[in-house]
Amino acid sequence: ERFRFTAKFPREVSHEGDLRANLESALDFIRLMAPLGQRVSPYWLQLPASFGPQRLAELEQFLREIDVMVAVEVRNQAFFARGAEEKQLNRMLHGLGVERICLDPRALFSCTSRAPSVLEAQAKKPRVPLRPAAFTDHPQVRFIGHPQLAGNEPFMTPWIEKVAAWIEEGKHPYVFL
């Protein structure tokens, strides 16, 4: 009964053009997921690295129009620079009750394998610093792992402690591996 699905908005919504112009496609996707009811929570909006601070007003308007719980994953380096742009993003998300996904790719990038699958994953995934934050009662962690199970332990152990602390605070975190 407590199992939840997280539905990621399709690429045509998140990566192709202005988010506001893609609002109807986003709403179509939400309607498609509607039979799952409350089991879909939250929806993920994964933005491309090209989505920068100059588009924050677009993001804010889109989020105000969507009537579902949303978590946002940003990849633009300006949102990880601890500057005004990151603060503006965080204030906006927090004010709207929207979670910022804590993206953790460290384990993947610690891998020195030259295997094609590892190189492909490293080329596709963003290399961003860790931002462990909880803006709502549903913090989101996206852990991108090392291909060897043992290689994940030094990166995963601190998350176990962080997630446990969130639970003790009464939060309901989501962890994606």
Side-chain angles (χ1 to χ4, degrees), residues 101-152:
I101 296 169
C102 305
L103 179 60
D104 186 355
R106 297 173 302 161
L108 173 65
F109 287 107
S110 74
C111 182
T112 58
S113 170
R114 305 304 297 161
S117 61
V118 172
L119 295 175
E120 180 183 2
Q122 289 174 334
K124 287 182 176 180
K125 301 301 181 196
R127 189 176 212 139
V128 294
L130 195 57
R131 292 293 186 266
F135 295 166
T136 71
D137 285 339
H138 300 282
Q140 309 285 310
V141 177
R142 180 173 178 218
F143 185 87
I144 303 172
H146 191 287
Q148 301 296 320
L149 192 57
N152 291 300

Side-chain angles (χ1 to χ4, degrees), residues 32 39 45 49 80 83:
L32 180 68
R39 291 186 187 262
L45 180 65
F80 295 89

